[in-house]
Amino acid sequence: MEALLVVRELRTRDDLALLLLDWIRPLRKWYSAGGARLKVGNTSAHYGENSIRMEGYSRVLWGLGPLFAGENGRLPQEAKEEIAMWQELTRKGLIHGTDPGHEEYWQDVEDYDQKMVEMAAVANAILLAPGVYWEPLSETQRQNVFRWLSGINSRRVHANNWRFFRVLVNILFQKLGLPYSEDCLRDDLGVVERCYEGDGWYFDGHPGQKDYYIPFAMHYYGLIYARHMEDREPKYCEQLKKRAGEFYRDFVYWFGRDGREVPYGRSLTYRFAHSAVFAAMAFAGAEVPMGQLKSLVLENMRYWGEQPIFDPGGILTIGYQYPNLIMSERYNAPGSPYWSFKTFLALALSEEHPFWKSQETRPEFEIQKCLRHPNMIAVHEDSGHALLYPTGQKSPNFGNTVAKYQKFVYSNRFGFSVSRGTGLEDGAFDNTLAGTLAREDFWRMRQDAERFEVTEEYTRTLYELLPGVRVESVIIPLEQGHVRVHYVLAERGAKLADGGFAIPLEEGERHATPSMVELTRESCRCAFPWGRAGAVCLAGEGRARQIIPFPNTNLMYGITLIPTVCYELEPGEYGIADYFYGDGCLGPGGEETPGVDLTGDAICITYRGKTRRITGKQWL
């Protein structure tokens, strides 16, 4: 299997084309006889088996459409023959899937149907490669495709990124000279415009939700629109490209210098789809340095190509850095991870395009940057560790939503953990404050925010942690690590656990030993050959602990240790402070531990010879 999934050099378009063929080759034997369905697993999703198998078919098209659109003449002969096979197979699947008389018919689309999502991949493939998916079809076959796709124009569609699915269908109809719905097109683009906040930022149907759907949905589809419609609507298309350029200046901070993104929010099983918007920016000609776009796309693909994200048969798995159903969403079916193939849009660019001709150039980052629209501070430490400190995020419950949006910090080196239960170990409370009432053992983290603010220096959040226990948390990023100050108003006795980064306990066949953890009353410091992390109590009667959570709770590592500071509080008011570090921080004898003074009405932090003064408790 290792030889099959070889990580290619990834310098040229041909390299990327061959990588795509490597990654889809194992799928061939799982297609149905008629080619319209692809079953690659036995887990389920909320939309049922018919749509699951149709989704399997469609999502591969995110890669194949761009592959067929580009010039493949310099590829080896066996690769050309393989491409011809994929053209025939998937064209056959399109014909049969849209034929009401065929046993593999995908069925008519209903209101809010998952098949609407998959129509986007079908429409995009036809737009990019009409010579494969349209011109060879008979008139009857074309009418079947048109009739099946046009079903979306008479159905209700969610008022979020889903509206772009119908937009893509209708611009396809325009390009093919077929009847299209001007009313739907205007209404759908109107919904998109109402989701636009300015400075390049959209929200995805929920004003408080800013996650990877902004780049790999709202901007991605908008840039496809801009590329195909610029001759008809040049002003609007130019506006879409300008917005993408503005968005880039913030969004690039979600990535490290090595192309690894910060896992945060939902739909993380789409993995390298997080870099898809950079390919779309190049595709549409947005005003962004091509060398940086190329670096971000290829560095991200190289990273993911080295991770154990395929099963032994070569099928992409549900999970993040390894197979993991615990972190999945209710809409993650076996074929869902192939949505990541949206990044292969770069294949639609010829070898002569500036994207491929440019020298890879890594972006330059400020150490700390406030991103006001997503309510977060981005930090790029000297080691290359990239972190996001969000607050005030709000999302519907897609699955483990609280862990995906409400933690104090998210890291591209440590990921984050999701709960498997309500104990301190199975709760896996990394980078959050968890609590339980004193006579219970039912731990939880915050569910929401009553008030919040983000500044250049800190985030502040007011919330109810437990019934009768309210907290105002101030999170202050430093050059390395961060300080957390919690003002607690406890009407009832409670136990609190302030968890740090979840550091892996092993790397390959190497496992951490007890001597690698220094545990005192005030601190827990881990110094492993593959990384360091720690938690230090700075103010309050905290006791440090090493929490070893249940396996497979962290998105990146199967078994971890969470340095944690624990408190037992009687009813009353408290001010407590802890310091957390990870990755490049050296611990004793290396990294300086900050000092914190909470007396008076301010937070005074002394660190690396400088003192900062921040407003103390405001809302509690």
Side-chain angles (χ1 to χ4, degrees):
M1 207 56 240
E2 291 181 1
L4 176 63
L5 299 176
V6 61
V7 180
R8 297 184 178 273
E9 186 179 6
L10 288 189
R11 300 292 177 193
T12 68
R13 182 192 176 278
D14 286 354
D15 292 337
L16 191 61
L18 293 172
L19 182 70
L20 173 63
L21 293 174
D22 287 344
W23 286 0
I24 63 175
R25 197 171 296 122
L27 299 174
R28 176 64 188 89
K29 65 180 179 180
W30 300 110
Y31 278 83
S32 58
R37 300 182 180 185
L38 177 62
K39 180 180 181 181
V40 292
N42 295 297
T43 55
S44 194
H46 73 84
Y47 37 83
E49 193 62 27
N50 181 63
S51 291
I52 285 172
R53 298 189 186 193
M54 187 270 158
E55 174 190 86
Y57 165 86
S58 69
R59 297 206 168 185
V60 182
L61 298 183
W62 284 117
L64 288 178
L67 176 67
F68 300 157
E71 174 54 55
N72 300 307
R74 296 190 298 186
L75 293 175
Q77 183 59 33
E78 59 269 25
K80 295 177 186 177
E81 293 172 0
E82 193 171 4
I83 288 172
M85 181 277 295
W86 283 108
Q87 290 176 338
E88 181 179 355
L89 173 63
T90 55
R91 180 170 56 242
K92 179 175 69 173
L94 176 65
I95 291 170
H96 293 156
T98 56
D99 181 358
H102 196 275
E103 62 182 358
E104 294 186 13
Y105 178 56
W106 291 329
Q107 304 303 318
D108 293 352
V109 67
E110 304 294 337
D111 292 341
Y112 311 119
D113 197 324
Q114 177 65 24
K115 291 190 289 291
M116 295 175 174
V117 183
E118 312 315 322
M119 284 181 175
V122 173
N124 187 60
I126 300 173
L127 279 167
L128 290 174
V132 175
Y133 294 117
W134 188 254
E135 293 163 11
L137 273 58
S138 69
E139 186 58 35
T140 298
Q141 292 165 347
R142 292 180 183 181
Q143 284 299 314
N144 284 340
V145 172
F146 169 70
R147 189 200 64 82
W148 184 77
L149 287 172
S150 64
I152 196 172
N153 284 333
S154 59
R155 294 298 182 179
R156 289 180 287 182
V157 184
H158 292 299
N160 54 16
N161 77 87
W162 279 46
R163 292 302 184 99
F164 265 123
F165 307 148
R166 192 158 63 184
V167 168
L168 291 180
V169 167
N170 280 298
I171 66 171
L172 170 66
F173 291 166
Q174 287 189 62
K175 289 290 186 177
L176 295 177
L178 299 170
Y180 69 95
S181 173
E182 181 68 29
D183 289 342
C184 285
L185 198 55
R186 293 305 113 199
D187 184 58
D188 295 338
L189 290 176
V191 169
V192 170
E193 288 305 302
R194 288 191 291 275
C195 290
Y196 185 66
E197 289 189 347
D199 304 318
W201 280 92
Y202 295 86
F203 58 85
D204 183 28
H206 302 278
Q209 185 176 350
K210 305 291 195 320
D211 54 26
Y212 282 103
Y213 274 81
I214 310 310
F216 65 40
M218 303 301 282
H219 275 290
Y220 185 88
Y221 303 129
L223 288 165
I224 289 176
Y225 183 95
R227 169 67 180 268
H228 290 295
M229 297 295 287
E230 58 187 348
D231 57 333
R232 304 187 185 203
E233 297 184 50
K235 186 175 180 179
Y236 182 55
C237 291
E238 189 60 34
Q239 185 181 61
L240 293 174
K241 290 189 284 186
K242 181 180 178 182
R243 289 177 183 176
E246 293 174 341
F247 176 72
Y248 174 84
R249 292 195 287 271
D250 279 353
F251 178 60
V252 70
Y253 277 83
W254 292 25
F255 289 74
R257 290 194 297 267
D258 59 358
R260 293 168 61 174
E261 75 271 23
V262 176
Y264 156 78
R266 65 187 176 114
S267 296
L268 294 175
T269 197
Y270 299 152
R271 297 176 174 115
F272 47 95
H274 298 143
S275 61
V277 70
F278 302 129
M281 289 175 183
F283 179 72
E287 290 295 322
V288 180
M290 283 291 171
Q292 292 186 20
L293 295 178
K294 182 179 181 182
S295 175
L296 287 160
V297 169
L298 298 186
E299 290 272 37
N300 192 245
M301 294 290 283
R302 292 177 192 124
Y303 168 72
W304 281 110
E306 294 174 347
Q307 308 310 313
I309 59 178
F310 297 90
D311 71 14
I315 306 298
L316 264 178
T317 56
I318 297 172
Y320 189 65
Q321 196 158 291
Y322 62 93
N324 188 341
L325 280 173
I326 297 171
M327 52 74 66
S328 65
E329 323 294 352
R330 64 190 179 200
Y331 51 80
N332 290 162
S336 297
Y338 287 91
W339 215 63
S340 58
F341 278 18
K342 295 169 83 171
T343 307
F344 283 107
L345 184 61
L347 290 174
L349 306 174
S350 74
E351 285 279 8
E352 301 306 313
H353 190 278
F355 177 87
W356 293 112
K357 286 293 187 181
S358 296
Q359 190 76 22
E360 289 185 45
T361 307
R362 287 182 170 181
E364 296 291 331
F365 297 106
E366 300 174 34
I367 293 176
Q368 188 167 313
K369 182 178 175 67
C370 179
L371 309 179
R372 296 199 176 277
H373 283 276
N375 301 318
M376 59 178 60
I377 299 171
V379 174
H380 282 250
E381 297 180 350
D382 291 340
S383 65
H385 189 190
L387 307 103
L388 299 176
Y389 293 83
T391 186
Q393 293 291 338
K394 181 69 175 177
S395 173
N397 186 16
F398 295 105
N400 289 300
T401 298
V402 171
K404 293 171 181 175
Y405 292 91
Q406 297 291 334
K407 295 197 173 181
F408 296 129
V409 59
Y410 293 85
S411 156
N412 75 337
R413 295 292 171 87
F414 296 99
F416 66 89
S417 303
V418 295
S419 295
R420 292 184 61 181
T422 56
L424 198 51
E425 287 77 18
D426 57 357
F429 297 109
D430 60 341
N431 285 322
T432 190
L433 183 68
T436 182
L437 295 178
R439 297 182 181 180
E440 297 181 358
D441 189 30
F442 191 90
W443 294 80
R444 71 205 83 175
M445 58 175 286
R446 76 174 188 234
Q447 303 292 307
D448 206 344
E450 295 178 24
R451 297 182 67 177
F452 65 90
E453 69 170 338
V454 58
T455 73
E456 299 289 341
E457 290 189 276
Y458 62 84
T459 66
R460 185 187 302 268
T461 310
L462 176 67
Y463 53 96
E464 182 180 73
L465 179 61
L466 303 166
V469 180
R470 298 176 71 224
V471 182
E472 181 178 335
S473 294
V474 184
I475 314 301
I476 306 104
L478 305 176
E479 288 89 342
Q480 297 282 1
H482 63 280
V483 169
R484 302 180 199 163
V485 176
H486 305 294
Y487 296 102
V488 182
L489 177 59
E491 298 175 357
R492 308 168 68 179
K495 293 181 286 187
L496 306 182
D498 206 5
F501 296 103
I503 186 170
L505 274 173
E506 59 186 13
E507 182 185 58
E509 297 183 359
R510 297 189 297 172
H511 197 281
T513 63
S515 64
M516 297 176 184
V517 180
E518 180 187 290
L519 184 63
T520 68
R521 179 183 176 88
E522 293 81 16
S523 66
C524 176
R525 299 179 185 268
C526 305
F528 303 154
W530 50 87
R532 297 171 182 264
V536 184
C537 177
L538 301 177
E541 298 296 321
R543 180 181 290 272
R545 289 182 59 184
Q546 50 177 323
I547 303 297
I548 300 179
F550 278 24
N552 305 316
T553 47
N554 187 269
L555 272 66
M556 299 180 75
Y557 310 108
I559 182 169
T560 62
L561 183 155
I562 304 175
T564 302
V565 181
C566 295
Y567 297 84
E568 294 190 11
L569 306 181
E570 297 295 329
E573 295 186 35
Y574 299 86
I576 60 179
D578 301 308
Y579 171 60
F580 299 92
Y581 66 85
D583 191 53
C585 305
L586 301 179
E591 173 60 28
E592 176 186 344
T593 299
V596 170
D597 183 357
L598 300 183
T599 58
D601 59 358
I603 302 167
C604 292
I605 298 176
T606 303
Y607 181 68
R608 294 187 177 180
K610 298 179 180 179
T611 298
R612 276 200 277 173
R613 185 180 175 90
I614 294 170
T615 302
K617 181 173 60 176
Q618 289 188 184
W619 303 325
L620 193 61

